[in-house]
Amino acid sequence: MSLRVGVIGVGVMGADHARNLDRRVGGAAVTVVADHDAERAAAVAGEMRSARAVDDARAVVAADDVDAVVVASHDSTHRDFVLAALDAGKPVLCEKPLAPTAAECRRVVDAEGDRGLVSVGFMRRFDPSYTDLRRLVTSGELGAPLTAHCISRTVQSGPGDSAATITNSAIHELDVLPWLLDSPITEVTWFAGRSSRHSPDRRDPQILVLRTASDVLVTVEVFLNARYGYDTRCEVVGETGAAALTLPARVVVDSDRRRGVEYPPDWIPRYADAYRLQLQAWVDAVAGGGPSSLATAHDGLRAALVADAAVESMTTGRTVAVQYESSEGGQPVR
């Protein structure tokens, strides 16, 4: 039998999840969708094999024909909808971030207990280029990691302030870097210089300088109004070698005495494989109940603790130590 999935929030990300689950992921079918825009919910439901739209997100969680829930609504709603799924005893995949603050993430972790019902949509862990890079780093082929450099640029930002740049966008790096380097982030320093004229509501670009427990220094540039295309880069420099992501372009164009590639307009084409692989892993984990490489609620909390430190650095101008809740390798405990 297919896992019957309800999707809360069918904007760009939620609609893509729904289509993947209904068309490209084995063992799943979307049965109910909800969105604050009723017409959009009805349109997405109409694309599914057999789904209906409802006007109340909590009705998705309560529905008898929903076995598991995807939360892809606004960040500010994530905590409450995940808690509702936990109250119903239903597995839930929550888009990043688990919640905008560590305090809200802590509530989810406490409510989940040892049930293992919550997964977080840090899909870069499933991206083939990131998994290859992690294999190189952890194999020792590059020697001990010394530094890493990350860039995350988008064409145009949605609504949000400077803090949201960290909690909504840089949060990907705050999760993937400890996973990539196998070492938690211990301190953060935030920097910003001249801001783009295309970014009136936030400091953009921003630079984070991170230090890991293994004393690796990392730079992270987040530029949400870069205009030219969606662009993610990551390089790890070790004692005997360096490795970096390559631009995932399928075609090189030679024309008018120039050679070039096209950038995608947003993150959906860039991470299409990662989203599909993540959803398949989630469906398989829910169906089989076995271990998986999905990010957990604890991972969501760890990333949020680093994000909180970054926001504090932004407001104080100081380097801020990440306050984990256990001295054992930055592993939060309940």
Side-chain angles (χ1 to χ4, degrees), residues 193-200 202-205:
R194 178 176 175 176
S195 192
S196 168
R197 64 185 176 88
H198 300 295
S199 306
R202 66 177 88 206
R203 302 294 294 275
D204 189 42

Side-chain angles (χ1 to χ4, degrees), residues 285-299:
V286 171
S292 75
S293 54
L294 291 156
T296 66
H298 281 278
D299 293 320

Side-chain angles (χ1 to χ4, degrees), residues 5-8 29-34 45 50-54 56 59-60 63 65-66:
V5 182
V7 180
I8 298 174
V30 175
T31 52
V32 186
V33 299
S50 180
R52 69 184 191 281
V54 297
D56 180 4
V60 175
D65 57 346
V66 168

Side-chain angles (χ1 to χ4, degrees), residues 36 151 168 197 253 313:
H36 67 86
I151 290 173
N168 180 265
R197 64 185 176 88
V253 177
S313 177

Side-chain angles (χ1 to χ4, degrees), residues 99-103 105 162-163 165-167 170-171 174 184-191 206-211 300-325:
T101 67
C105 291
S162 294
T165 297
I166 298 167
T167 61
I171 197 76
L174 303 186
I185 297 165
T186 56
E187 66 178 38
V188 185
T189 312
W190 180 92
F191 296 95
Q206 300 179 20
I207 305 289
L208 302 178
V209 178
L210 315 173
R211 187 185 299 273
L301 173 56
R302 279 189 282 271
L305 288 166
V306 181
D308 275 9
V311 172
E312 182 179 345
S313 177
M314 180 180 70
T315 57
T316 65
R318 299 193 299 265
T319 297
V320 177
V322 182
Q323 299 299 315
Y324 291 109
E325 300 164 36

Side-chain angles (χ1 to χ4, degrees), residues 25 126-128 271-282 294:
V25 172
F126 291 88
D127 179 67
Y271 288 108
D273 286 341
Y275 285 120
R276 177 181 53 80
L277 292 168
Q278 176 185 247
L279 286 167
Q280 187 67 68
W282 178 63
L294 291 156

Side-chain angles (χ1 to χ4, degrees), residues 57-87:
R58 294 181 186 276
V60 175
V61 176
D64 291 336
D65 57 346
V66 168
D67 305 313
V69 179
V70 169
V71 174
S73 48
H74 190 272
D75 294 359
S76 62
T77 67
H78 286 187
R79 180 200 64 185
D80 289 346
F81 292 153
V82 172
L83 289 175
L86 288 173
D87 286 344

